[in-house]
Amino acid sequence: MWQNISMQIYFAPMEGITGYIFRNAYDEIYGNIAKYYAPFISPSENCPITPRERKDITPEHNAGINLVPQILTCRSDCFIEAARELQAMGYKEVNLNLGCPSGTVCAKGKGAGFLPQTNELSKFLDDICSYADKEGVKISVKTRLGYYNPDEFYDLVEIFNRFPISELIVHPRIRSDFYKGEPRREFFAYALTHAKCPLVYNGNIYSVEDYRDLTDALGCKLDTVMIGRGLLADPSLADKLNNVTDATDFAKFRKLHDTLYYEYQKVMSPDINVLYRMKELWSYWKNLFPGQERDIKRLLKTKKYAEYEAVVYHGLMP
Ligand SMILES: Cc1cc2nc3c(=O)[nH]c(=O)nc-3n(C[C@H](O)[C@H](O)[C@H](O)COP(=O)(O)O)c2cc1C
C-alpha cells in the first residue's frame, strides 16, 4: 500500500469542459488541485484574445483559483501579444500548447503540428523566452512526444533543454495516438534522465492504482502529475491521491452535479444547450453508476429539463 502520497495535482485543460464554471464548482467542492490549466486560447493577428476566451480567463471569474492560461499558436508575435494581455490581467505563467492533435489545428502547424518543424520551433521558443525573460513571465510547455514518431522526442528534449522552460508537461503519445492506447511511458522515463527543466507527467491516470503502476514502472515517485479524464470520471481522485479521509463522499459528487447544472442554466439556454454540457460530463461520470446503464442511456436521450431531472433525481441519484 502507498501511504501519505502527498503530491501536486494539476487539472488538465479540456476544451468545452473545464471552463470557469466547472473550475469554480470543482474547486469549491473538491479542491486539492495545485493548478488548473485553462483550455487554449488561439490568438490571431488582429485579435490576441476573443471576448469569449477573455470571459473564461478573466480573474473576476477565477477568484481563488490558481489558473494558468494556455496559448495555441505557431507565431511568436501572436503568442507575445496574447501573453502581454494575460500579464496585464495578472498572470505570471503562460503555457504553450504543443499537443493538440486536431486535424484543423495541426494543418496550420499548431499544437502537435508544430513539433516536426524543429527549426521554426527553436526560433519561436527563442522569441517567446526572450520576451518572458524581460517581462518576468514563466513559460511552461505541454507537449506530445512527436507528430509522426515517438523518436522525435529525443531531438525535442534537446531543443527544450536550450530554453528556460519553467515546467515541461509531457503527454507521452504521438499525434496519431490522439488520446487512445497506452501512454508510451518509456519516453517519459527518457525525459526524467535527460530533460533539464521540471517535468510533469500527463496521461491515463484514472485511479490511485494507475498512479502506483506508473511510479513502479518509472522506478520513482512523481511529485507532480497532470490529470484530465481521470478527474472527470472520478472527481474524488485528487482527494484519494492525497489521502483525504472522506474521499468517496457521494454528497460531494451530488453537489458538483447540482452546482454545474444550476450554474450552466444561468449562462446558457435553451434546455438543449445545458443538457449537451451535462451529457458530456455524464459520458465520464457513467462509470460511477455501475448497473445503471439503462438510466444513463435514457439520460443521454433527454431534451428537456423535466425529462433530465426525472432520470437524475428519480433514477440515478434519488
Ligand atoms: C475533450 C478534450 C479537450 C481537451 N482540450 C485540451 C486543451 O484545450 N489544451 C490541452 O493542452 N489539452 C487538451 N486536451 C488534452 C488533455 O489536457 C490531456 O492532455 C489528455 O486528456 C490526456 O490526459 P488524461 O489521460 O489525464 O485525460 C483535451 C482533451 C480532451 C479529451
Side-chain angles (χ1 to χ4, degrees):
M1 265 302 284
W2 279 73
Q3 282 179 345
N4 300 323
I5 298 172
S6 175
M7 55 195 296
Q8 295 208 93
I9 297 165
Y10 294 173
F11 212 126
M14 298 184 81
E15 207 217 341
I17 304 176
T18 62
Y20 76 96
I21 291 182
F22 182 91
R23 293 192 297 266
N24 280 290
Y26 185 90
D27 202 62
E28 188 199 320
I29 298 160
Y30 288 93
N32 262 313
I33 298 295
K35 289 187 199 173
Y36 292 82
Y37 284 72
F40 64 77
I41 57 180
S42 188
S44 63
E45 209 165 346
N46 304 320
C47 180
I49 303 178
T50 65
R52 192 164 155 264
E53 290 166 343
R54 191 177 288 275
K55 190 172 169 193
D56 185 54
I57 51 174
T58 179
E60 225 178 291
H61 286 160
N62 293 282
I65 288 176
N66 192 9
L67 184 67
V68 179
Q70 184 188 64
I71 300 178
L72 174 82
T73 184
C74 56
R75 282 185 49 171
S76 55
D77 56 343
C78 291
F79 184 99
I80 291 167
E81 278 302 297
R84 277 193 206 289
E85 298 223 3
L86 295 169
Q87 223 188 328
M89 289 185 207
Y91 290 106
K92 305 260 184 294
E93 177 185 344
V94 178
N95 183 258
L96 169 68
N97 180 324
L98 291 179
C100 182
S102 135
T104 44
V105 165
C106 290
K108 292 180 194 149
K110 303 187 222 176
F114 203 176
L115 296 175
Q117 313 301 323
T118 47
N119 290 337
E120 289 80 359
L121 180 61
S122 298
K123 172 79 178 74
F124 175 96
L125 289 171
D126 200 27
D127 290 348
I128 66 168
C129 288
S130 305
Y131 150 80
D133 183 45
K134 267 189 239 131
E135 300 288 334
V137 183
K138 286 185 193 167
I139 305 268
S140 59
V141 172
K142 182 166 180 275
T143 189
R144 285 186 185 246
L145 301 176
Y147 187 84
Y148 302 104
N149 188 309
D151 291 348
E152 292 166 37
F153 193 55
Y154 304 126
D155 283 347
L156 289 169
V157 169
E158 216 170 273
I159 293 172
F160 295 140
N161 278 347
R162 284 189 233 137
F163 299 98
I165 291 166
S166 66
E167 272 182 320
L168 181 64
I169 303 156
V170 181
H171 178 57
R173 288 190 166 104
I174 57 171
R175 187 255 167 173
S176 56
D177 294 334
F178 287 87
Y179 298 110
K180 295 190 298 279
E182 283 304 307
R184 302 164 191 261
R185 290 170 172 176
E186 62 281 18
F187 287 89
F188 189 80
Y190 175 84
L192 281 172
T193 49
H194 289 82
K196 290 187 181 152
C197 62
L199 285 172
V200 178
Y201 175 91
N202 167 241
N204 285 33
I205 300 179
Y206 287 95
S207 63
V208 176
E209 290 68 39
D210 287 343
Y211 172 79
R212 190 189 55 207
D213 285 353
L214 173 67
T215 52
D216 284 351
L218 295 171
C220 66
K221 184 174 173 285
L222 296 173
D223 296 327
T224 311
V225 291
M226 173 181 270
I227 306 179
R229 293 167 299 176
L231 281 171
L232 294 179
D234 178 4
S236 65
L237 180 57
D239 283 352
K240 286 175 180 158
L241 285 164
N242 278 301
N243 289 321
V244 172
T245 45
D246 64 348
T248 46
D249 183 355
F250 193 73
K252 279 192 180 182
F253 174 76
R254 197 184 166 117
K255 191 166 177 210
L256 178 69
H257 169 275
D258 292 356
T259 305
L260 290 171
Y261 184 48
Y262 178 72
E263 293 296 329
Y264 285 140
Q265 287 180 48
K266 283 198 208 159
V267 298
M268 280 180 210
S269 62
D271 305 22
I272 198 82
N273 290 340
V274 173
L275 295 183
Y276 177 82
R277 284 288 171 121
M278 297 309 294
K279 288 177 198 176
E280 187 159 18
L281 289 165
W282 277 102
S283 72
Y284 294 95
W285 292 340
K286 63 184 178 207
N287 297 329
L288 296 170
F289 296 84
Q292 287 178 275
E293 291 77 12
R294 279 185 61 188
D295 277 340
I296 302 279
K297 236 178 168 179
R298 276 175 56 215
L299 179 143
L300 295 178
K301 288 188 186 146
T302 58
K303 294 198 168 64
K304 292 281 175 200
Y305 292 144
E307 298 161 6
Y308 175 84
E309 287 166 24
V311 182
V312 172
Y313 297 119
H314 298 291
L316 289 161
M317 299 194 288

